[in-house]
Amino acid sequence: MVRSPFSLLSKLCCATAVGLSLVSSPVFAQTDTTEAVQSAKNMAMSTSELRAPKVIFFDVNETLLDLTAMRSSVGEALGGRDDLLPLWFSTMLHHSLVDSTTGRFHTFGEIGVASLLMVAEIEGIELTKEQAKTAIVTPLRSLPPHPDVRDGLQALKDKGYKLVSLTNSSNQGVYTQFKNADLLSFFDERLSVEDINLYKPDTRTYEWAIEKMGIAAEDAMLVAAHGWDIAGAKQAGWQAAFIARPGKVLYPLAIAPDTVVSGLDELVSQLPDAK
């Protein structure tokens, strides 16, 4: 089937939005957090409109797990050039969407390594494939959860919610991350785009996720710290909660999330008990 050039343009524009969102990542930039959160809340719908979803889906990296530990390892691989980290992230996410739009698939780890090699080549930095892999995979396996995560997930479980992770990372990668971060017990299911060979924010990933869980779009909620992920979920008809981690911003041209919170504890207070 030949896809419309407008459809391809839309997806590639999402890649640009991804890059812009990650340039302001807490790992790579310092931002006035209070101002950013307030700006995001101004874009969101009234929190009084939140309804109890049947399933709450969670993005993983940056949303639940703190990526700060990757700063030193990736920066070191790039010859101490921390200023190149946003370029690496945006390159990685851009090319994940290139895979989706061209009907190809490589794991997120493979794309991350390839993108790091691309940035190194552009900047004239000597870097081997093994060095790039070590710089990314080693810290990624043992990222700590943000301080609000364990208590927040437990509170949502206590309210009766079914929790499912939905990530661009591989199945094995997420299992290892959750095991090392002691988060495995909180989740009823772990879903990876690896199983459908399509990356978020392609709306088909969200459609696949609700089909797997046997629910309708209006019964799903995504919790994520990325504007591009929120954009995909809202386009797919889900509720969405944006966690405004330091430095993270919403994509202003996308459908606004249903709520903006600074942590999971705030989301817990806004949600009724599960039905």
Side-chain angles (χ1 to χ4, degrees), residues 47-235:
T47 57
S48 64
E49 297 180 23
L50 285 183
R51 60 189 184 278
K54 291 183 178 178
V55 177
I56 302 179
F57 295 87
F58 284 84
D59 177 54
V60 176
N61 293 313
E62 289 197 295
T63 299
L64 299 176
L65 302 180
D66 188 350
L67 287 184
T68 303
M70 292 189 67
R71 182 183 183 91
S72 58
S73 63
V74 174
E76 184 178 345
L78 292 172
R81 292 283 306 278
D82 288 359
D83 60 302
L84 296 176
L85 299 182
L87 177 59
W88 167 57
F89 259 78
S90 60
T91 301
M92 175 173 62
L93 289 159
H94 175 92
H95 286 88
S96 72
L97 292 179
V98 169
D99 262 20
S100 289
T101 56
T102 57
R104 293 172 57 81
F105 185 82
H106 301 86
T107 67
F108 214 38
E110 289 174 322
I111 296 172
V113 169
S115 297
L116 193 57
L117 291 171
M118 290 169 70
V119 171
E121 182 177 354
I122 290 169
E123 297 296 324
I125 299 169
E126 291 188 9
L127 184 67
T128 67
K129 184 176 181 179
E130 283 305 311
Q131 289 172 328
K133 185 175 180 179
T134 299
I136 296 169
V137 175
T138 301
L140 196 62
R141 288 173 175 166
S142 54
L143 296 173
H146 288 289
D148 59 287
V149 167
R150 286 199 185 96
D151 288 346
L153 292 175
Q154 184 60 60
L156 290 171
K157 295 293 288 184
D158 291 343
K159 281 195 167 189
Y161 284 106
K162 178 177 288 189
L163 309 183
V164 176
S165 61
L166 177 61
T167 177
N168 280 344
S169 299
S170 68
N171 287 302
Q172 182 60 44
V174 173
Y175 172 81
T176 302
Q177 286 183 307
F178 278 3
K179 182 178 180 180
N180 291 336
D182 195 24
L183 298 181
L184 279 174
S185 62
F186 295 111
F187 290 90
D188 298 274
E189 296 280 351
R190 298 184 306 275
L191 301 182
S192 166
V193 301
E194 181 181 43
D195 292 330
I196 54 168
N197 294 352
L198 287 169
Y199 283 100
K200 296 187 295 178
D202 191 307
T203 54
R204 290 171 292 178
T205 63
Y206 307 95
E207 293 163 1
W208 165 77
I210 59 173
E211 183 179 349
K212 286 282 290 184
M213 300 310 300
I215 61 172
E218 58 266 26
D219 294 322
M221 171 181 278
L222 176 73
V223 179
H226 301 115
W228 50 269
D229 207 354
I230 296 294
K234 289 302 298 177
Q235 192 66 36

Side-chain angles (χ1 to χ4, degrees), residues 41 43-50 239 257-260 270:
K41 286 185 175 181
M43 290 182 61
M45 297 170 60
S46 169
T47 57
S48 64
E49 297 180 23
L50 285 183
Q239 285 194 96
D258 299 274
T259 187
V260 173
Q270 294 178 10

